[in-house]
Amino acid sequence: MSSNRKTVIAGNWKMNSGIEEGVNLCKEIISNLPTTDAEIIVCPPHTHLYAVSTVLKNSSVSLGAQNVHKQEKGAFTGDVSAKMVAETGAEWVIVGHSERRQYYGETGADIREKILMAQESGMGAIFCVGERIHEREAGVYLEVITRQINEVLDKRIDFSKLIIAYEPVWSIGTGKTASPSQANEVHMHIRQCVAFLASTKISEEVRILYGGSMKPDNAESLLTEEHVDGGLIGGASLNATSFCGIISHA
Ligand code: PGA
């Protein structure tokens, strides 16, 4: 990680925990939070956002959501708009997660609209990219990442309200982590893509997180890589001890 970029540790709870459980988890995180300069974000399910935001008030932990709809409002039964999410106190939203791409068929165009909608509503977006196992094995992973970046990021994106997360699909929830050098190689590549699309200055400022089976015992080696500016944590963010353990390395 570079001293110029503020480290981010974000927890993606996915579809786990009840509201009370989530509130208690946040209380435990706050009371055990190691001294850190890192920005800490928790992303609970939508139903928990408001309750969790009241717990996080006056703490140094920020709130994020896991999804927003790409349209501003309208007849989209069961969906939640970016403005609604922002009203709960959420400052961030995860977009482009591989589970959303895989199970809901989200495309690059959908992801771009969601980022724009989140940013228009005053939130920042945590934009996820990552290759599948066959793409890594075929040696085409950098091409896959380039495509995922190029089909989403354009001139309308506010890069000051954007975090990119590299999450190799083969490492998510599998216990298989990218090695620090594998992660750093892709992060450096992402920075080059951003330099090409935006500017060298923006590429040096944008924060790039690693996600995929990050745990307290592998966090330090990943987080000390030059281009790794933090982590997007799934499983290990559901437990205050392991989440705070990761934060202690940030
Ligand atoms: P994991 O999930 O840490 O459980 O692998 C990461 C993610 O999907 O964001």
Side-chain angles (χ1 to χ4, degrees):
M1 74 190 104
S2 151
S3 53
N4 304 327
R5 295 185 291 267
K6 194 177 169 107
T7 303
V8 181
I9 301 293
N12 173 12
W13 296 5
K14 309 193 180 183
M15 197 170 73
N16 292 298
S17 89
I19 296 178
E20 200 183 333
E21 211 182 325
V23 162
N24 290 337
L25 174 57
C26 284
K27 286 181 181 163
E28 224 186 307
I29 291 169
I30 292 167
S31 54
N32 293 291
L33 202 63
T35 308
T36 180
D37 292 331
E39 185 170 351
I40 312 301
I41 305 170
V42 291
C43 306
H46 280 5
T47 46
H48 304 27
L49 288 173
Y50 188 68
V52 168
S53 84
T54 60
V55 176
L56 299 184
K57 216 171 256 171
N58 305 320
S59 84
S60 57
V61 179
S62 308
L63 182 65
Q66 298 172 26
N67 186 33
V68 289
H69 196 271
K70 63 180 178 179
Q71 303 280 348
E72 191 186 347
K73 61 177 180 178
F76 301 102
T77 302
D79 261 307
V80 177
S81 73
K83 200 169 161 215
M84 293 169 188
V85 166
E87 264 189 302
T88 67
E91 295 174 64
W92 293 96
V93 61
I94 299 170
V95 286
H97 193 281
S98 61
E99 288 152 15
R100 302 249 10 134
R101 293 177 192 257
Q102 183 179 348
Y103 303 130
Y104 304 93
E106 285 187 8
T107 64
D110 295 329
I111 295 162
R112 184 176 57 246
E113 297 308 310
K114 287 180 180 214
I115 295 176
L116 291 169
M117 203 48 84
Q119 293 187 335
E120 261 173 47
S121 306
M123 294 185 290
I126 303 174
F127 163 45
C128 306
V129 295
E131 81 283 2
R132 292 164 172 279
I133 187 66
H134 65 272
E135 294 161 334
R136 162 122 332 232
E137 284 170 356
V140 295
Y141 53 98
L142 294 181
E143 286 87 335
V144 171
I145 301 296
T146 307
R147 176 175 46 73
Q148 290 177 342
I149 298 258
N150 287 348
E151 65 191 11
V152 171
L153 301 184
D154 67 15
K155 295 276 179 237
R156 293 174 296 162
I157 302 286
D158 178 351
F159 283 85
S160 71
K161 289 198 274 182
L162 187 81
I163 291 173
I164 300 173
Y166 168 54
E167 297 207 312
V169 179
W170 48 272
S171 73
I172 296 175
T174 59
K176 281 189 204 140
T177 317
S179 69
S181 61
Q182 282 175 326
N184 200 53
E185 180 197 22
V186 178
H187 285 225
M188 199 167 69
H189 178 74
I190 292 171
R191 228 176 270 296
Q192 284 162 356
C193 292
V194 172
F196 188 74
L197 283 170
S199 69
T200 306
K201 184 172 182 290
I202 288 172
S203 77
E204 283 164 0
E205 287 167 355
V206 72
R207 285 157 321 157
I208 307 175
L209 316 185
Y210 169 79
S213 300
M214 194 188 269
K215 306 264 182 305
D217 61 359
N218 60 27
E220 189 176 9
S221 59
L222 286 157
L223 293 171
T224 44
E225 287 292 329
E226 184 185 352
H227 294 284
V228 178
D229 305 313
L232 179 56
I233 326 295
S237 72
L238 293 168
N239 173 285
T241 308
S242 53
F243 192 54
C244 291
I246 293 172
I247 295 168
S248 69
H249 296 297

